[in-house]
Amino acid sequence: MNKENELLTLYWKDNQLYILDQRLLPHKIEYRICGACSDVVDLICSMSVRGAPAIGISAAFGMAVAAREAQAKGYNSSQMRSFLKNAADKLFQSRPTAVNLSWALDKIDKWLARHGDANPDQIVEGLTRQAQIILKEDLENNRLIGIKGAGLVPPKASILTHCNAGALATGGYGTALGVIRAAVEKGKEIHVFVDETRPLFQGARLTAFELVHEAIPATLITDNCAGYLMSRGKIDLVVVGADRIAGNGDTANKIGTYSLAVLARYHDIPFYVAAPLSTIDLSLSSGKEIIVEERNRSEVTHFCDCSIAPETIEVYNPAFDVTPAELINAIITERGVVNNPDREKLYNLFAKV
Ligand code: MRU
């Protein structure tokens, strides 16, 4: 636990990277030590660490781990750089949808380009420092997202969230959960409804865990329950995170997010996306260009290792969906709230200093 009594998603201690194995939550708290960059790749692929910002931060530290591996092999600077290039390629391929991964790798790459004459020891130190900066800035950005987002929350509010966009999905505090945390810190009377979030139950296992841990009043619901609650006037607003936001505001997030946005619009309930600028991908003109990861069939056919479907049934298991910008009332970022997001407003956000 850190000083705010939050479970750390990952940390760097005595020149080693520790990543919390989120597959074991909420029942076990175990950290994996990453002795090699391939360990980080495996932990991302297996979703031991997940959530867009957390994946990006892990990848940045993965590069620091790779630099140490190369140093231990006695590589010279140019050998180390080609080893790092290979490590970056593997990390880049570990999960395709969350843009924070390539964003973080790009930051590391730019550092390497700026320090073309660095020796191996300097590269090791430099990459470790860069990863630490990315982690620290993510935490700071989440606090800002929280402060700005809390302004959208009425004094008494019932909030629906999906998947886990909390401390566990980030460097700490969370994006969507950051907004909720900040609203509670401001003394607002909040009740959170948490979608269980099939197939991997990030809502039930992780978001519910974070909320219980912080004693924020919350109720766990099945994914299919949201429409019924909205129809009964039980939800005042929806806030979710994002894995990639295209230049026009279309937003990829955990599968089921789009259905919630459609339901929210039908019931005239505000639908908010909370995400740092590192999740916005201005290179994509619309959500149609976002690559949606498809995951293993067993996530759908099995429940806790127990088969729940005929073995031969065909399965479709996209991990994310894309919500069109027109269904999003606002995107909450560390630089401010973008109401009715569109291309021009998102570009202006990046132009702000
Ligand atoms: O498949 P996951 O668990 O990585 O999906 C996570 C989400 O969809 C989150 O909502 C998103 O990454 C935002 S995390 C701040």
Side-chain angles (χ1 to χ4, degrees):
M1 304 282 170
N2 66 4
K3 63 179 187 307
E4 281 133 345
N5 208 25
E6 251 177 32
L7 202 56
L8 293 175
T9 306
L10 54 81
Y11 61 93
W12 182 262
K13 194 176 166 208
D14 299 333
N15 294 327
Q16 275 191 310
L17 174 63
Y18 293 75
I19 293 185
L20 177 66
D21 190 342
Q22 298 189 25
R23 289 171 304 180
L24 307 179
L25 290 174
H27 301 302
K28 269 195 200 158
I29 295 173
E30 274 179 28
Y31 283 86
R32 306 280 167 229
I33 299 176
C34 300
C37 181
S38 59
D39 295 332
V40 182
V41 172
D42 290 346
L43 290 171
I44 295 174
C45 289
S46 64
M47 293 185 53
S48 300
V49 60
R50 32 63 54 201
I55 295 171
I57 298 161
S58 302
F61 277 107
M63 291 298 288
V65 171
R68 268 164 219 276
E69 276 179 270
Q71 186 187 42
K73 289 177 198 284
Y75 284 173
N76 64 29
S77 177
S78 118
Q79 289 168 320
M80 183 180 268
R81 280 173 189 270
S82 76
F83 187 82
L84 287 172
K85 164 92 184 57
N86 195 271
D89 289 346
K90 298 227 163 69
L91 284 162
F92 177 75
Q93 284 157 23
S94 58
R95 285 195 81 189
T97 303
V99 69
N100 306 62
L101 181 56
S102 52
W103 175 88
L105 290 172
D106 189 53
K107 286 217 146 205
I108 297 293
D109 195 46
K110 289 203 169 104
W111 186 94
L112 286 166
R114 279 199 312 278
H115 297 84
D117 54 359
N119 66 37
D121 292 349
Q122 289 168 328
I123 294 177
V124 166
E125 285 317 310
L127 294 199
T128 308
R129 180 86 194 104
Q130 285 310 295
Q132 283 163 334
I133 291 170
I134 288 173
L135 170 61
K136 180 173 163 282
E137 288 182 352
D138 185 67
L139 178 58
E140 287 165 2
N141 288 338
N142 292 340
R143 291 199 174 282
L144 289 171
I145 288 170
I147 290 167
K148 291 174 201 288
L152 299 169
V153 177
K156 187 170 174 194
S158 172
I159 303 178
L160 177 67
T161 191
H162 189 63
C163 194
N164 173 263
L168 292 166
T170 62
Y173 203 68
T175 54
L177 269 196
V179 170
I180 291 169
R181 282 192 165 97
V184 171
E185 283 162 19
K186 273 184 176 287
K188 301 194 182 195
E189 206 181 309
I190 303 299
H191 190 97
V192 187
F193 283 96
V194 183
D195 274 354
E196 59 180 352
T197 317
R198 271 288 279 159
L200 293 182
F201 298 99
Q202 289 92 329
R205 295 187 302 105
L206 309 176
T207 301
F209 174 78
E210 288 195 40
L211 291 167
V212 166
H213 188 69
E214 294 204 16
I216 297 175
T219 303
L220 179 64
I221 56 169
T222 59
D223 295 331
N224 350 29
C225 184
Y228 178 63
L229 277 178
M230 289 184 190
S231 74
R232 293 290 169 120
K234 301 278 188 210
I235 305 293
D236 298 309
L237 64 100
V238 182
V239 62
V240 297
D243 285 85
R244 192 183 291 243
I245 300 174
N248 67 345
D250 292 351
T251 295
N253 191 49
K254 180 53 57 191
I255 189 78
T257 302
Y258 170 52
S259 320
L260 286 182
V262 173
L263 280 168
R265 181 56 53 93
Y266 180 79
H267 292 97
D268 204 17
I269 294 167
F271 182 91
Y272 300 122
V273 170
L277 263 64
S278 55
T279 303
I280 301 175
D281 184 355
L282 292 182
S283 76
L284 302 186
S285 55
S286 89
K288 290 199 177 77
E289 293 163 47
I290 297 176
I291 295 168
V292 171
E293 173 186 13
E294 282 183 39
R295 292 191 61 86
N296 199 292
R297 56 177 276 120
S298 65
E299 291 181 358
V300 181
T301 56
H302 285 64
F303 174 77
C304 296
D305 293 335
C306 172
S307 169
I308 52 166
E311 265 175 31
T312 52
I313 188 70
E314 208 176 290
V315 169
Y316 178 48
N317 184 21
F320 305 98
D321 58 26
V322 180
T323 301
E326 60 184 299
L327 294 179
I328 299 169
N329 292 73
I331 297 178
I332 306 159
T333 77
E334 67 271 30
R335 287 216 188 143
V337 173
V338 183
N339 290 305
N340 305 315
D342 63 18
R343 171 167 315 282
E344 198 188 334
K345 290 175 190 168
L346 288 183
Y347 269 80
N348 286 343
L349 195 62
F350 279 83
K352 274 193 200 176
V353 247

